[in-house]
Amino acid sequence: MATIDETFDSNVAYLTINNPPVNALATAIRAGLVAAIRKAAENPAVKAIVIIGADKTFVAGADIRELGKPLQRPFFPDVLAAIEALTKPVIAALHGNALGGGLELALACHYRVALASVKVGLPEVTLGLLPGAGGTQRLPRLVGPAKALDMILSGKPVDGRAALLLGIVDELAEGTTGADLLQGAQTFAHKMLAERRRATLVSARQDKVSAVDPALFEDIRSKNAAKWRGQLAQESIVACVEAACTLPFAEGMAFERERFFALKDSSQCKAMRHVFFAEREASKVPGLPADVKARSVRSVAIIGAGTMGGGIAMAFANAGIPVTQIELGAEALANGRAIIENNYATSVARGSMSRDKAAKALTLIKGGTNYADIADCDLVVEAVFESMDIKKAIFRKLDAVMKPGAILATNTSTLDIDEIAAATKRPEAVIGTHFFSPANVMKLQENVRGAHSSAETIASVMSLAKKIGKIPVLSGNCEGFIGNRMLYNYVRECDFLLEEGATPWQVDNALKAFGFPMGVYLMRDLAGLDVSWRVRKGREATRDMSERYSPIADRICELGRFGQKTGAGYYRYDGRTASPDPKIEALIESVSRDQGRTRKPVSDEDIVMRALCALVNEGAKILEEGIASRAGDIDVIYVNGYGFPRYRGGPMFFAEHEGLATIHAHIQRLYLEQGQLWKPAPLLARLAKSGEGWSAGAASPGSPGRNTGVHQAIVKQ
Ligand code: 3H9
């Protein structure tokens, strides 16, 4: 129940916002606030008002679910105007999160008292929005337009101490609990009353927003033009903060309101709200018994101190979990350690991590060469070279030494979890934990359940991923799992487009214009072309020769061009700067000639649609097979692991937004033109006909192991 709980104690009314879990400002809360404020205003015994959040937090903002519908009265800016207009002092007491509308509410109060641990910020930009209840008008008046822009454009919160220094809060309360905060707010309220102090309303302050050099806004616009291309919220945020510096408060509010509504109703905001909820839903596994408990993981071992092993070790150490890395010899360990040290030094130099935190994390990472040293660890993650034989040998050893109850995880990005698990006598403890590079930075963790992974093992890795700040998604077991299986199709079609008339730079630019941070070919050059070449050579004997295959990547590797690290790949490089290479254009043209193809101009729209339809068609198969539980899981993987623009919501959201019938018609056309590889996924065909969305087509939730059953059928094909 969303309520405002009202209590009264020696001249002060306490209004407690109670709407678990995050005290979002739903309609009932806004209405409750208006009523409670009116009552307190009319009660002569009340001399001051404290607004506080129930339980562990103030307010995480507007109720995001309500943003998808027409907004209901009382409108939020009106509620805030009523609070600001009160003649009795109103004190916001902040703990936990004071985000978005939560901070806007606090800024409309006359004073702010906070715990040092509070997080205050305006993260609306992460939802494709701007603060729509005065945040763009009040915050610049408190902290100046430059800092306000920094906070609103990044969406990043600051803690209580930083907020105090910035002038966002007036005083920090001693202690760490909600009770401490209440005590602090009470003391503050009595001090205000005793001193008969009158606060200056934030909306009335002009010192920080008058005579601001307009160059500030032009600078920000021009510096970020490339980064913001295609996105709507950022430019509107700059315009609103500029309005705070040029217009009277009331006019600035009206300007903000107009821009807020334009964004709220945009497809970008809808896409980002979809991703927000999909990210939270992804960690909930359908079909897991309700009473299953995640095991507590207090120590982790990593097999392999290469790039992935090192990144994974850092991810655990950053969350305070001790890690032991195992390598074959002292030299490999020392090399791995040096890379980790260097990575931490870079983070400290960039200011993204404090020196203390980096030093502490480093002390948590140890190395060794003896498996016996890790026998007592709660979890071991194997992160070695992608070779089934090597992985099986490692899992045999792990099975022999690890204590009963330990979780045995593999970081494989493609290999069969069941085959790896079969090398042990405890397949129920084996699971995939697919991290993305750099593993200490990338948020996605694609966990892969095998046929025998126990519910406890699954629950444990899903919960642990959240503890270390990752976004976990559970995949079934098939080649490439969700992410790489789809990527394979996407890359394949881009290669075919090269043969048909496009160039790598045209493909890359078209995908970048769609919103990917990097096109396919720059990405492949950066990752290195040699590894996948080796994989392709390994599969050559079993490849289906009747299927279309592009030899372009192989031909480039045959020239010793392995990407950026060799100074040449699809592009040629001057340091890290890539430029188109006529030699590659000639090579592609010769491949087209060899195949007897007449090259034709390909439009950027065709490139994007073909690449995206390749993702969607495979995504639909993955959904129907139950490899993914929900379309949203696929979107979460693509947004957080593959650079799919968040403001487009992920490939499955994109398809639904375009209309599944439209996407199906496009794929059907490609099927007629290109053949079997484009056979429309049966689920897509069905939904296109019925007019339903993806939610009508996901495989019904089953018990753990359901997906692997599907996988076995795939492997046999
Ligand atoms: C806004 O304020 C607009 C205004 O400027 C203008 C208005 C006119 N609404 O993340 P968690 C749910 S826009 C509804 O797992 P954590 C969430 O879905 C808003 N629901 O916890 C989840 O539900 P479930 C600006 C919300 O501890 C549960 O709460 N504010 C909201 O890891 C727990 O969430 C933001 O963008 C919400 N506002 O992190 C802040 N927030 O249990 C958005 C959360 O069913 N929120 N839920 O899966 C966050 O960043 C994080 O949730 C927070 C807690 C840091 C608060």
Side-chain angles (χ1 to χ4, degrees), residues 321-332:
I321 300 174
V323 185
T324 306
Q325 285 191 289
I326 294 288
E327 255 299 350
L328 292 174
E331 196 184 334

Side-chain angles (χ1 to χ4, degrees), residues 85-113:
L86 282 182
T87 48
K88 299 175 183 180
V90 186
I91 298 143
L94 313 177
H95 67 324
N97 293 296
L99 300 177
L103 178 56
E104 291 177 301
L105 167 60
L107 294 178
C109 295
H110 306 132
Y111 301 100
R112 286 152 293 280
V113 177

Side-chain angles (χ1 to χ4, degrees), residues 412-423:
T412 181
S413 54
T414 50
L415 298 176
D416 183 353
I417 304 294
D418 292 334
E419 196 176 338
I420 295 172

Side-chain angles (χ1 to χ4, degrees), residues 286 290 436 704:
F436 286 71

